[in-house]
Amino acid sequence: MNIFRFPSPEPAPEDRLHSEARDWLILLTSGQATAADARALRQWCAQSAEHALAFERTKALWHGLKPAAEALQTPRYFGRRAFLGGAVAASAAFLLVRYSVPGGFSGIGADYITEVGEQRRFDLGDGVSLELNTQTRVSRRTMADGAQGIELLSGEVEVLARQTTPLKVQAGAGWLSASQARFNLRNTDQSVCVTCLDGALLVDVQGQRIHLESGQQLTYSAQQVSPPKTVDTSAVIAWRQQVLVFNDATLSQVIDEINRYRPGMLLLLNAELGKRKVQARFSLDQLAGVALLIRDAYGATCTELPGGVVVLS
């Protein structure tokens, strides 16, 4: 028996854009979106006026559904296709993803973990202690010679090493070695930044061995290594005093950093506004209302979405 199969018609460009916009909203409100995802969404919206309009219309739909989402007390078993099929299913899908996978999947199996807004101290013994900042994953590593080592999988940590045998630390494409040092190490968005706070340390990356002393900072990725520079270390470790300090940063950079500390996400869609330079100092307990501060300071429009997402445009 012959079975005839007819190809499915290609979706109209407008339908395709709205489908992609819905997928962006699902990711954005899933609790797993990153600063890199936010930047990618800004780039998607900037492709054309039609892209931006599709996102605005989808955002308006979700905003209108907020009461329905809040009324649902338990997750229902709807998936992404259910969202595409109707408004109530969209709310249920959001709640399912949001509450069935708390904390997301980054760093599963890590030995030392902090969640959004959490900071914790861990004493590893043998003269090594860790101060983990928000959303950080660190694992123990045993070196070939049996010495103690750790790997910063993601996030930010202040490391204190006071031992005779150098502590080995892996972060991204590089390895650090320190026996008498205190340093701040950050691994976010596929970029690593190490700041020597006290003592000295060595960084091996891309065939280079770089010596850092107190007050020096090095940034590297799998593609490049920037020259070491002298920095204000008090600004680097301000998070230890529950403060974020921004000196001559763009508003986009400020928002990306704030997103590491607060539930949900701030999403800035105004590219020109994102380029504005900022001198700011925020206490971490101010971050719940930071969207209103940005609105009042820069005239941005705020739209609240489910899951603590605030769109600034």
Side-chain angles (χ1 to χ4, degrees):
M1 180 177 63
N2 293 326
I3 299 177
F4 296 96
R5 297 183 183 276
F6 296 94
S8 300
E10 288 292 324
E14 182 178 357
D15 293 338
R16 177 179 57 81
L17 287 180
H18 281 285
S19 177
E20 291 177 4
R22 295 187 194 104
D23 288 346
W24 276 116
L25 259 294
I26 289 175
L27 172 62
L28 184 64
T29 57
S30 70
Q32 300 174 42
T34 66
D37 293 325
R39 287 193 293 271
L41 175 53
R42 289 198 293 265
Q43 292 171 358
W44 185 87
C45 290
Q47 290 184 56
S48 70
E50 289 76 16
H51 283 75
L53 181 60
F55 184 77
E56 284 297 318
R57 288 177 174 172
T58 306
K59 182 182 70 176
L61 171 63
W62 277 67
H63 186 56
L65 289 170
K66 185 178 179 181
E70 292 175 345
L72 292 174
Q73 299 298 314
T74 57
R76 301 290 192 264
Y77 292 95
F78 293 99
R80 177 170 298 198
R81 292 186 179 277
F83 174 86
L84 300 177
V88 175
S91 300
F94 154 71
L95 289 176
L96 174 62
V97 175
R98 179 74 176 177
Y99 296 114
S100 63
V101 193
F105 298 101
S106 176
I108 286 180
D111 296 301
Y112 310 105
I113 294 174
T114 55
E115 303 300 343
V116 177
E118 182 184 17
Q119 296 176 351
R120 295 183 65 186
R121 175 185 174 87
F122 296 94
D123 288 308
L124 277 58
D126 298 327
V128 177
S129 64
L130 308 177
E131 297 280 354
L132 272 63
N133 198 2
T134 178
Q135 297 193 66
T136 297
R137 305 289 187 268
V138 176
S139 283
R140 283 182 177 267
R141 294 288 180 261
T142 301
M143 302 297 100
D145 59 2
Q148 177 177 217
I150 60 174
E151 180 180 1
L152 175 60
L153 301 169
S154 63
E156 184 172 24
V157 60
E158 182 179 309
V159 181
L160 176 64
R162 294 285 187 262
Q163 53 184 25
T164 56
T165 303
L167 172 71
K168 301 289 186 179
V169 182
Q170 183 179 5
W175 282 88
L176 288 68
S177 176
S179 56
Q180 299 293 319
R182 184 168 64 95
F183 56 93
N184 192 86
L185 184 61
R186 176 174 170 138
N187 183 3
T188 58
D189 297 330
Q190 300 182 334
S191 177
V192 175
C193 180
V194 54
T195 307
C196 184
L197 305 172
D198 184 49
L201 55 91
L202 290 174
V203 181
D204 290 291
V205 58
Q206 293 190 10
Q208 302 181 53
R209 171 161 287 192
I210 301 168
H211 181 83
L212 293 183
E213 296 184 347
S214 181
Q216 290 187 305
Q217 182 181 87
L218 176 70
T219 301
Y220 65 84
S221 67
Q223 290 74 40
Q224 65 179 9
V225 180
S226 299
K229 63 181 181 180
T230 301
V231 296
D232 177 8
T233 59
S234 65
V236 174
I237 61 172
W239 61 270
R240 293 289 310 280
Q241 283 73 49
Q242 304 290 297
V243 173
L244 298 180
V245 177
F246 301 99
N247 295 316
D248 201 35
T250 65
L251 184 58
S252 288
Q253 291 171 333
V254 170
I255 288 176
D256 285 347
E257 181 66 9
I258 288 172
N259 279 334
R260 298 178 59 231
Y261 292 84
R262 65 181 295 279
M265 176 174 284
L266 301 181
L267 178 62
L268 179 64
L269 293 182
N270 186 323
E272 289 304 312
L273 189 58
K275 297 175 184 177
R276 295 278 294 273
K277 292 292 186 176
V278 175
Q279 296 287 132
R281 180 184 179 92
F282 295 109
S283 170
L284 294 187
D285 59 15
Q286 288 182 290
L287 298 187
V290 74
L292 299 181
L293 295 177
I294 294 173
R295 181 199 65 185
D296 295 342
Y298 297 100
T301 299
C302 295
T303 303
E304 294 187 9
L305 295 173
V309 176
V310 180
V311 179
L312 301 164
S313 57

